[in-house]
């Protein structure tokens, strides 16, 4: 009698586990389908009226479309960056960055540092090759030790060059930051 009870319990456990798995899969499929915007659904049926397989197919096609869009945007970004590197006579805050980019592209010695002081702000542009082994956090540490608070830091890779941009704000405006000292410390660190 005990054997029969344990078999029944085992079957119930498997049925419960399978039911829970199906409920979880249904919930995940619904969540995935809800992320697809309505304009992507070209069918006259609403997403709720579609079969689960149709919802999964719709989500897969949407993901494929997004992937293709990302590739197109990446190509457009690279074209735009390369066209900006070639010509820039506009007087703007990006002049320093554009000149630095042109110099780096022209084959000057890498890494290259450009620093500009804009009132109580400092902008550091650092261009390096992919194989340069300096620590980015060390550059940020130098700025912080000299009295600047890093507001934003980002990088992008174009070809075999890495463009780091750091924006910092002077912590105590009446004391300021000695930019020539920051420049020298960065030079010592990078080269």
């Amino acid at each position: 009698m005990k054997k029969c009870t344990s078999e029944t319990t085992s079957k119930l456990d498997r049925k419960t586990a399978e039911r829970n798995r199906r409920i979880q899969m249904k919930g995940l499929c619904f969540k995935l389908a809800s992320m697809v915007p309505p304009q992507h659904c070209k069918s006259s049926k609403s997403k709720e009226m579609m079969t689960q397989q149709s919802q999964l197919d719709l989500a897969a096609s949407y993901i494929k479309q997004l992937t293709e869009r990302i590739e197109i945007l990446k190509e457009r970004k690279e074209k735009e960056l390369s066209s900006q590197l070639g010509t820039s006579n506009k007087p703007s805050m990006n002049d320093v960055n554009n000149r630095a980019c042109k110099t780096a592209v022209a084959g000057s010695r890498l890494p290259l540092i450009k620093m500009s002081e804009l009132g109580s702000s400092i902008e550091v542009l650092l261009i390096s090759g992919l194989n340069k082994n300096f620590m980015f956090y060390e550059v940020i540490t130098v700025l912080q030790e000299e009295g600047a608070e890093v507001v934003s830091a980002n990088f992008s890779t174009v070809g075999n060059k890495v463009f780091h941009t750091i924006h910092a704000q002077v912590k105590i405006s009446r004391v300021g930051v000695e930019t020539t000292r920051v420049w020298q410390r960065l030079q010592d660190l990078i080269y």
Side-chain angles (χ1 to χ4, degrees), residues 50 89 117 119 134 137 141 162 175:
M50 297 173 77
N89 294 328
E117 190 176 2
F134 71 90
Y137 75 90
T141 302
V162 182
V175 175

Side-chain angles (χ1 to χ4, degrees), residues 10-105:
S10 176
K11 281 184 179 181
L12 287 175
D13 288 344
R14 279 186 268 147
K15 283 183 179 181
T16 303
E18 179 61 22
R19 185 176 353 104
N20 290 341
R21 186 194 67 77
R22 284 193 309 265
I23 291 169
Q24 182 184 14
M25 290 302 292
K26 185 176 181 180
L28 291 172
C29 288
F30 177 76
K31 187 175 179 181
L32 180 64
S34 70
M35 292 181 184
V36 178
Q39 58 269 27
H40 183 73
C41 184
K42 295 176 183 168
S43 172
S44 59
K45 293 181 182 179
S46 70
K47 283 190 280 189
E48 291 81 26
M49 302 290 288
M50 297 173 77
T51 66
Q52 199 171 41
Q53 181 64 45
S54 298
Q55 289 178 348
L56 290 174
D57 290 341
L58 179 67
S61 72
Y62 181 63
I63 291 169
K64 185 178 179 183
Q65 179 185 353
L66 288 178
T67 304
E68 291 169 355
R69 175 120 172 94
I70 288 170
E71 290 303 316
I72 290 169
L73 291 174
K74 280 181 182 178
E75 289 174 12
R76 189 184 304 171
K77 177 184 173 185
E78 288 177 14
K79 286 179 184 176
E80 185 66 30
L81 281 173
S82 63
S83 70
Q84 284 180 358
L85 293 177
T87 59
S88 177
N89 294 328
K90 300 176 222 164
S92 69
M93 220 167 96
N94 290 328
D95 280 351
V96 172
N97 295 347
N98 289 334
R99 275 186 252 123
C101 293
K102 285 181 189 177
T103 307
V105 170

